[in-house]
Amino acid sequence: MASISQKHIQLALSLPPRLRTFFARYPAATILPEGTAPESAKTPYQEEAPNPFLSTKHPVTGRWHDPKYSLRRQAELVKLARTHGVEELLPFTTKGTEERIRKRVELGLRVKGTGVGEKVKGHKHERHLVAKMEKRRKAMLDMPDLIREWKKVGKRNWTRWPK
């Protein structure tokens, strides 16, 4: 048991100072020692704001307070935690990898014309390009027959098109 706690302490000391400070202020419930109630182990920071990444409503005035960590700082913390393999210990944030993947799946790329059955308007020559290229392809495939027909008709009757 002592070797396991020593191992956790060594891992915690290997983290960068910003992550160490964050986990000291807002320890995850999963890293608390067994037998301790989560409510009794709350730090003063956690009592003030349980999740520092979300806005909180003041109980008396009813006014909303900004999160303790801005979106930019949240993103930096998530990136740091991801590189050190402790992202799952962070509280919920919209900057987390799972949340970003969920949003990407739900909303897609959000670029007009990339969805199923969508088209981008484009210029007239862009809209007609597919039909024009198909017509050109068909003419190229029919070209040997047309040449053969012209050779049958001869030079003098080139004005008459074969039907």
mmCIF file with all atom_site columns, all heavy atoms in Angstrom, residues 113-127:
data_model
loop_
_atom_site.group_PDB
_atom_site.id
_atom_site.type_symbol
_atom_site.label_atom_id
_atom_site.label_alt_id
_atom_site.label_comp_id
_atom_site.label_asym_id
_atom_site.label_entity_id
_atom_site.label_seq_id
_atom_site.pdbx_PDB_ins_code
_atom_site.Cartn_x
_atom_site.Cartn_y
_atom_site.Cartn_z
_atom_site.occupancy
_atom_site.B_iso_or_equiv
_atom_site.pdbx_formal_charge
_atom_site.auth_seq_id
_atom_site.auth_comp_id
_atom_site.auth_asym_id
_atom_site.auth_atom_id
_atom_site.pdbx_PDB_model_num
ATOM 1   N N   . GLY A 1 113 ? -22.404 23.131 -47.715 1.00 0.00 ? 113 GLY A N   1
ATOM 2   C CA  . GLY A 1 113 ? -22.198 22.253 -48.848 1.00 0.00 ? 113 GLY A CA  1
ATOM 3   C C   . GLY A 1 113 ? -21.516 20.941 -48.504 1.00 0.00 ? 113 GLY A C   1
ATOM 4   O O   . GLY A 1 113 ? -21.382 20.083 -49.355 1.00 0.00 ? 113 GLY A O   1
ATOM 5   N N   . THR A 1 114 ? -21.068 20.766 -47.253 1.00 0.00 ? 114 THR A N   1
ATOM 6   C CA  . THR A 1 114 ? -20.389 19.519 -46.894 1.00 0.00 ? 114 THR A CA  1
ATOM 7   C C   . THR A 1 114 ? -21.355 18.498 -46.318 1.00 0.00 ? 114 THR A C   1
ATOM 8   O O   . THR A 1 114 ? -20.971 17.358 -46.121 1.00 0.00 ? 114 THR A O   1
ATOM 9   C CB  . THR A 1 114 ? -19.255 19.767 -45.889 1.00 0.00 ? 114 THR A CB  1
ATOM 10  O OG1 . THR A 1 114 ? -19.803 20.415 -44.742 1.00 0.00 ? 114 THR A OG1 1
ATOM 11  C CG2 . THR A 1 114 ? -18.173 20.621 -46.490 1.00 0.00 ? 114 THR A CG2 1
ATOM 12  N N   . GLY A 1 115 ? -22.567 18.897 -46.025 1.00 0.00 ? 115 GLY A N   1
ATOM 13  C CA  . GLY A 1 115 ? -23.544 17.973 -45.467 1.00 0.00 ? 115 GLY A CA  1
ATOM 14  C C   . GLY A 1 115 ? -24.126 17.061 -46.533 1.00 0.00 ? 115 GLY A C   1
ATOM 15  O O   . GLY A 1 115 ? -23.881 17.221 -47.731 1.00 0.00 ? 115 GLY A O   1
ATOM 16  N N   . VAL A 1 116 ? -24.926 16.121 -46.095 1.00 0.00 ? 116 VAL A N   1
ATOM 17  C CA  . VAL A 1 116 ? -25.535 15.161 -47.013 1.00 0.00 ? 116 VAL A CA  1
ATOM 18  C C   . VAL A 1 116 ? -26.606 15.874 -47.828 1.00 0.00 ? 116 VAL A C   1
ATOM 19  O O   . VAL A 1 116 ? -27.497 16.527 -47.277 1.00 0.00 ? 116 VAL A O   1
ATOM 20  C CB  . VAL A 1 116 ? -26.160 13.987 -46.223 1.00 0.00 ? 116 VAL A CB  1
ATOM 21  C CG1 . VAL A 1 116 ? -26.835 13.005 -47.159 1.00 0.00 ? 116 VAL A CG1 1
ATOM 22  C CG2 . VAL A 1 116 ? -25.096 13.301 -45.397 1.00 0.00 ? 116 VAL A CG2 1
ATOM 23  N N   . GLY A 1 117 ? -26.526 15.776 -49.148 1.00 0.00 ? 117 GLY A N   1
ATOM 24  C CA  . GLY A 1 117 ? -27.515 16.373 -50.032 1.00 0.00 ? 117 GLY A CA  1
ATOM 25  C C   . GLY A 1 117 ? -27.412 17.879 -50.184 1.00 0.00 ? 117 GLY A C   1
ATOM 26  O O   . GLY A 1 117 ? -28.276 18.497 -50.790 1.00 0.00 ? 117 GLY A O   1
ATOM 27  N N   . GLU A 1 118 ? -26.359 18.508 -49.663 1.00 0.00 ? 118 GLU A N   1
ATOM 28  C CA  . GLU A 1 118 ? -26.202 19.959 -49.778 1.00 0.00 ? 118 GLU A CA  1
ATOM 29  C C   . GLU A 1 118 ? -25.320 20.296 -50.962 1.00 0.00 ? 118 GLU A C   1
ATOM 30  O O   . GLU A 1 118 ? -24.450 19.522 -51.352 1.00 0.00 ? 118 GLU A O   1
ATOM 31  C CB  . GLU A 1 118 ? -25.561 20.530 -48.505 1.00 0.00 ? 118 GLU A CB  1
ATOM 32  C CG  . GLU A 1 118 ? -26.458 20.526 -47.312 1.00 0.00 ? 118 GLU A CG  1
ATOM 33  C CD  . GLU A 1 118 ? -25.803 21.177 -46.115 1.00 0.00 ? 118 GLU A CD  1
ATOM 34  O OE1 . GLU A 1 118 ? -24.666 21.645 -46.228 1.00 0.00 ? 118 GLU A OE1 1
ATOM 35  O OE2 . GLU A 1 118 ? -26.429 21.216 -45.057 1.00 0.00 ? 118 GLU A OE2 1
ATOM 36  N N   . LYS A 1 119 ? -25.570 21.463 -51.543 1.00 0.00 ? 119 LYS A N   1
ATOM 37  C CA  . LYS A 1 119 ? -24.738 21.962 -52.631 1.00 0.00 ? 119 LYS A CA  1
ATOM 38  C C   . LYS A 1 119 ? -24.368 23.402 -52.334 1.00 0.00 ? 119 LYS A C   1
ATOM 39  O O   . LYS A 1 119 ? -25.155 24.152 -51.761 1.00 0.00 ? 119 LYS A O   1
ATOM 40  C CB  . LYS A 1 119 ? -25.522 21.950 -53.950 1.00 0.00 ? 119 LYS A CB  1
ATOM 41  C CG  . LYS A 1 119 ? -25.614 20.612 -54.626 1.00 0.00 ? 119 LYS A CG  1
ATOM 42  C CD  . LYS A 1 119 ? -26.251 20.820 -55.979 1.00 0.00 ? 119 LYS A CD  1
ATOM 43  C CE  . LYS A 1 119 ? -26.398 19.533 -56.722 1.00 0.00 ? 119 LYS A CE  1
ATOM 44  N NZ  . LYS A 1 119 ? -27.090 19.731 -57.989 1.00 0.00 ? 119 LYS A NZ  1
ATOM 45  N N   . VAL A 1 120 ? -23.171 23.781 -52.755 1.00 0.00 ? 120 VAL A N   1
ATOM 46  C CA  . VAL A 1 120 ? -22.769 25.178 -52.683 1.00 0.00 ? 120 VAL A CA  1
ATOM 47  C C   . VAL A 1 120 ? -23.185 25.821 -53.993 1.00 0.00 ? 120 VAL A C   1
ATOM 48  O O   . VAL A 1 120 ? -23.033 25.207 -55.056 1.00 0.00 ? 120 VAL A O   1
ATOM 49  C CB  . VAL A 1 120 ? -21.240 25.291 -52.488 1.00 0.00 ? 120 VAL A CB  1
ATOM 50  C CG1 . VAL A 1 120 ? -20.814 26.733 -52.385 1.00 0.00 ? 120 VAL A CG1 1
ATOM 51  C CG2 . VAL A 1 120 ? -20.822 24.534 -51.255 1.00 0.00 ? 120 VAL A CG2 1
ATOM 52  N N   . LYS A 1 121 ? -23.703 27.045 -53.959 1.00 0.00 ? 121 LYS A N   1
ATOM 53  C CA  . LYS A 1 121 ? -24.235 27.658 -55.169 1.00 0.00 ? 121 LYS A CA  1
ATOM 54  C C   . LYS A 1 121 ? -23.154 27.785 -56.237 1.00 0.00 ? 121 LYS A C   1
ATOM 55  O O   . LYS A 1 121 ? -23.280 27.257 -57.315 1.00 0.00 ? 121 LYS A O   1
ATOM 56  C CB  . LYS A 1 121 ? -24.808 29.034 -54.850 1.00 0.00 ? 121 LYS A CB  1
ATOM 57  C CG  . LYS A 1 121 ? -25.399 29.694 -56.071 1.00 0.00 ? 121 LYS A CG  1
ATOM 58  C CD  . LYS A 1 121 ? -26.034 31.011 -55.761 1.00 0.00 ? 121 LYS A CD  1
ATOM 59  C CE  . LYS A 1 121 ? -26.626 31.582 -57.012 1.00 0.00 ? 121 LYS A CE  1
ATOM 60  N NZ  . LYS A 1 121 ? -26.017 32.788 -57.449 1.00 0.00 ? 121 LYS A NZ  1
ATOM 61  N N   . GLY A 1 122 ? -22.077 28.454 -55.973 1.00 0.00 ? 122 GLY A N   1
ATOM 62  C CA  . GLY A 1 122 ? -20.994 28.577 -56.931 1.00 0.00 ? 122 GLY A CA  1
ATOM 63  C C   . GLY A 1 122 ? -21.332 29.476 -58.109 1.00 0.00 ? 122 GLY A C   1
ATOM 64  O O   . GLY A 1 122 ? -22.454 29.961 -58.264 1.00 0.00 ? 122 GLY A O   1
ATOM 65  N N   . HIS A 1 123 ? -20.326 29.704 -58.989 1.00 0.00 ? 123 HIS A N   1
ATOM 66  C CA  . HIS A 1 123 ? -20.523 30.501 -60.197 1.00 0.00 ? 123 HIS A CA  1
ATOM 67  C C   . HIS A 1 123 ? -21.220 29.657 -61.261 1.00 0.00 ? 123 HIS A C   1
ATOM 68  O O   . HIS A 1 123 ? -21.238 28.431 -61.184 1.00 0.00 ? 123 HIS A O   1
ATOM 69  C CB  . HIS A 1 123 ? -19.168 30.976 -60.727 1.00 0.00 ? 123 HIS A CB  1
ATOM 70  C CG  . HIS A 1 123 ? -18.488 31.934 -59.799 1.00 0.00 ? 123 HIS A CG  1
ATOM 71  N ND1 . HIS A 1 123 ? -18.783 33.275 -59.769 1.00 0.00 ? 123 HIS A ND1 1
ATOM 72  C CD2 . HIS A 1 123 ? -17.536 31.729 -58.859 1.00 0.00 ? 123 HIS A CD2 1
ATOM 73  C CE1 . HIS A 1 123 ? -18.039 33.865 -58.841 1.00 0.00 ? 123 HIS A CE1 1
ATOM 74  N NE2 . HIS A 1 123 ? -17.274 32.946 -58.274 1.00 0.00 ? 123 HIS A NE2 1
ATOM 75  N N   . LYS A 1 124 ? -21.716 30.344 -62.296 1.00 0.00 ? 124 LYS A N   1
ATOM 76  C CA  . LYS A 1 124 ? -22.458 29.645 -63.341 1.00 0.00 ? 124 LYS A CA  1
ATOM 77  C C   . LYS A 1 124 ? -21.587 28.604 -64.034 1.00 0.00 ? 124 LYS A C   1
ATOM 78  O O   . LYS A 1 124 ? -22.015 27.475 -64.257 1.00 0.00 ? 124 LYS A O   1
ATOM 79  C CB  . LYS A 1 124 ? -22.981 30.660 -64.362 1.00 0.00 ? 124 LYS A CB  1
ATOM 80  C CG  . LYS A 1 124 ? -23.908 30.065 -65.385 1.00 0.00 ? 124 LYS A CG  1
ATOM 81  C CD  . LYS A 1 124 ? -24.494 31.146 -66.279 1.00 0.00 ? 124 LYS A CD  1
ATOM 82  C CE  . LYS A 1 124 ? -25.487 30.537 -67.247 1.00 0.00 ? 124 LYS A CE  1
ATOM 83  N NZ  . LYS A 1 124 ? -26.079 31.562 -68.098 1.00 0.00 ? 124 LYS A NZ  1
ATOM 84  N N   . HIS A 1 125 ? -20.335 28.956 -64.330 1.00 0.00 ? 125 HIS A N   1
ATOM 85  C CA  . HIS A 1 125 ? -19.463 28.005 -65.025 1.00 0.00 ? 125 HIS A CA  1
ATOM 86  C C   . HIS A 1 125 ? -19.134 26.817 -64.121 1.00 0.00 ? 125 HIS A C   1
ATOM 87  O O   . HIS A 1 125 ? -18.913 25.706 -64.604 1.00 0.00 ? 125 HIS A O   1
ATOM 88  C CB  . HIS A 1 125 ? -18.176 28.681 -65.512 1.00 0.00 ? 125 HIS A CB  1
ATOM 89  C CG  . HIS A 1 125 ? -17.307 29.224 -64.414 1.00 0.00 ? 125 HIS A CG  1
ATOM 90  N ND1 . HIS A 1 125 ? -16.340 28.464 -63.792 1.00 0.00 ? 125 HIS A ND1 1
ATOM 91  C CD2 . HIS A 1 125 ? -17.265 30.438 -63.812 1.00 0.00 ? 125 HIS A CD2 1
ATOM 92  C CE1 . HIS A 1 125 ? -15.725 29.198 -62.871 1.00 0.00 ? 125 HIS A CE1 1
ATOM 93  N NE2 . HIS A 1 125 ? -16.264 30.393 -62.862 1.00 0.00 ? 125 HIS A NE2 1
ATOM 94  N N   . GLU A 1 126 ? -19.148 27.002 -62.810 1.00 0.00 ? 126 GLU A N   1
ATOM 95  C CA  . GLU A 1 126 ? -18.904 25.881 -61.897 1.00 0.00 ? 126 GLU A CA  1
ATOM 96  C C   . GLU A 1 126 ? -20.128 24.964 -61.820 1.00 0.00 ? 126 GLU A C   1
ATOM 97  O O   . GLU A 1 126 ? -19.985 23.749 -61.753 1.00 0.00 ? 126 GLU A O   1
ATOM 98  C CB  . GLU A 1 126 ? -18.572 26.402 -60.497 1.00 0.00 ? 126 GLU A CB  1
ATOM 99  C CG  . GLU A 1 126 ? -17.258 27.137 -60.415 1.00 0.00 ? 126 GLU A CG  1
ATOM 100 C CD  . GLU A 1 126 ? -17.070 27.833 -59.082 1.00 0.00 ? 126 GLU A CD  1
ATOM 101 O OE1 . GLU A 1 126 ? -18.072 28.154 -58.415 1.00 0.00 ? 126 GLU A OE1 1
ATOM 102 O OE2 . GLU A 1 126 ? -15.916 28.068 -58.712 1.00 0.00 ? 126 GLU A OE2 1
ATOM 103 N N   . ARG A 1 127 ? -21.307 25.556 -61.866 1.00 0.00 ? 127 ARG A N   1
ATOM 104 C CA  . ARG A 1 127 ? -22.528 24.761 -61.773 1.00 0.00 ? 127 ARG A CA  1
ATOM 105 C C   . ARG A 1 127 ? -22.749 23.923 -63.030 1.00 0.00 ? 127 ARG A C   1
ATOM 106 O O   . ARG A 1 127 ? -23.284 22.835 -62.969 1.00 0.00 ? 127 ARG A O   1
ATOM 107 C CB  . ARG A 1 127 ? -23.731 25.672 -61.540 1.00 0.00 ? 127 ARG A CB  1
ATOM 108 C CG  . ARG A 1 127 ? -23.720 26.368 -60.192 1.00 0.00 ? 127 ARG A CG  1
ATOM 109 C CD  . ARG A 1 127 ? -25.059 26.976 -59.878 1.00 0.00 ? 127 ARG A CD  1
ATOM 110 N NE  . ARG A 1 127 ? -25.604 27.827 -60.911 1.00 0.00 ? 127 ARG A NE  1
ATOM 111 C CZ  . ARG A 1 127 ? -25.538 29.152 -60.930 1.00 0.00 ? 127 ARG A CZ  1
ATOM 112 N NH1 . ARG A 1 127 ? -24.923 29.787 -59.960 1.00 0.00 ? 127 ARG A NH1 1
ATOM 113 N NH2 . ARG A 1 127 ? -26.085 29.853 -61.902 1.00 0.00 ? 127 ARG A NH2 1
#
